[in-house]
Amino acid sequence: MRNRIYTAVAVAAALLATASPAQASGGAQAGPVGIGVIGSGLRVKEVRALLDGWEPGARARVSLWRGGRFDQWVTQWKATASRDVAGYKHEFASWKLNRDYPHKSRLCVEFEHTSERPCVTIQR
């Protein structure tokens, strides 16, 4: 009887531990500015920034927000590359981060000379 209880508790614990995997991938858009995050668990592997339109020389950077407040700059300013894909012109920048971020923290991207700052929430 005792062995059955221990087995049932062990199986329930194993199911609960694997029931809700964390997710660090997603995207957001605010006006002409977009952000894409690629990762697994709470680890972010790559962040991509996109600015609609043709603005050679544009620069972008990524920031970390916790509890609705600015925490730190994750990256420095980076010059974007101009791309034209099927007649769609945009500016693009990406960063390889390979870092873990706390649950419910937000990664945001901003471009110089724009007021929009889209964010992606890192959560389980």
Side-chain angles (χ1 to χ4, degrees):
M1 179 71 163
R2 203 177 264 180
N3 286 340
R4 285 186 183 176
I5 292 173
Y6 290 137
T7 303
V9 169
V11 169
L15 288 175
L16 288 175
T18 61
S20 59
Q23 187 60 255
S25 295
Q29 184 88 19
V33 179
I35 182 173
V37 176
I38 301 168
S40 61
L42 297 177
R43 177 167 287 269
V44 173
K45 295 178 182 175
E46 184 176 0
V47 175
R48 296 175 181 174
L50 188 73
L51 176 64
D52 290 342
W54 204 256
E55 292 191 36
R59 298 190 319 160
R61 65 181 171 183
V62 179
S63 58
L64 177 67
W65 294 69
R66 296 169 83 182
R69 301 182 73 189
F70 173 81
D71 188 46
Q72 67 182 13
W73 295 112
V74 176
T75 65
Q76 298 295 319
W77 287 109
K78 183 175 185 177
T80 60
S82 299
R83 293 191 175 178
D84 185 356
V85 179
Y88 175 72
K89 297 177 180 180
H90 61 275
E91 300 294 321
F92 177 82
S94 67
W95 298 266
K96 302 279 188 198
L97 298 180
N98 287 319
R99 292 186 217 154
D100 291 329
Y101 291 96
H103 177 62
K104 295 287 187 182
S105 61
R106 296 170 59 84
L107 289 176
C108 304
V109 67
E110 67 179 78
F111 281 83
E112 281 184 324
H113 311 300
T114 62
S115 59
E116 292 85 359
R117 185 185 297 128
C119 300
V120 173
T121 303
I122 307 302
Q123 59 186 354
R124 292 192 174 122

